[in-house]
Amino acid sequence: GVFEKPAGNAALAEAIDAFRTADIPVALIVPPDVPTILAAQETGIGFVRIDTGRYGRAGTEDREVMSYREVSAGARSAAEIGLRVEVGGGLGERNVVRIAELPEVEQIVVGRALAARSVFCGLQTAVREMKELIRSVRCEGES
């Protein structure tokens, strides 16, 4: 369908247009929901940040698997329609590996996890450990 800019979102539409005119990439944070991702793409943005908060807060393995499938489908759909994909929300060393395996994901936002970990081991160590964890998944088989 065609994305119609609702009157209440006129300022948002204007801001997106201004950024695009200035060649500044614009992203929207969206749920891992294909119709929402399609609507976001129709605004002319360059990429989406898929909210992984529900995945990150899943209390059971079943809920985590369901939420992961939603994120995976959303990332795949976004990439298929030409959007760049980043993810963020509720991700840390416990659950980031599965998300890092998604080939469509270009960026992973793990701010709170790094801040919390840095309290115990310092920011440099926390960042280095997270990068190593993600690279261990992303670089497998790339020799």
Side-chain angles (χ1 to χ4, degrees):
V2 175
F3 178 79
E4 295 180 22
K5 298 172 185 169
N9 288 335
L12 175 61
E14 196 173 306
I16 290 171
D17 289 341
F19 282 119
R20 284 183 38 225
T21 300
D23 290 327
I24 298 171
V26 178
L28 293 175
I29 299 173
V30 297
D33 170 85
V34 175
T36 304
I37 292 167
L38 292 171
Q41 187 264 345
E42 292 178 8
T43 67
I45 59 170
F47 61 98
V48 290
R49 177 187 297 176
I50 296 176
D51 180 15
T52 53
R54 191 155 84 180
Y55 167 78
R57 291 185 305 272
T60 66
E61 179 65 23
D62 287 345
R63 286 184 180 163
E64 186 172 302
V65 169
M66 260 180 40
S67 298
Y68 168 79
R69 288 180 181 155
E70 291 172 351
V71 171
S72 177
R76 189 172 42 258
S77 294
E80 286 173 357
I81 61 174
L83 291 173
R84 297 174 63 191
V85 179
E86 70 176 34
V87 294
L91 297 176
E93 60 257 343
R94 180 191 64 77
N95 60 10
V96 75
V97 170
R98 188 181 279 172
I99 296 296
E101 292 173 338
L102 296 173
E104 300 86 3
V105 173
E106 293 183 33
Q107 296 181 64
I108 301 170
V109 179
V110 290
R112 289 186 185 144
L114 288 178
R117 179 83 175 119
S118 71
V119 169
F120 299 101
C121 64
L123 188 57
Q124 280 186 316
T125 300
V127 170
R128 185 181 65 248
E129 289 174 353
M130 183 62 73
K131 284 172 72 174
E132 288 171 359
L133 180 61
I134 291 170
R135 282 186 179 145
S136 73
V137 173
R138 295 252 164 165
C139 297
E140 284 180 5
E142 292 180 17
S143 319

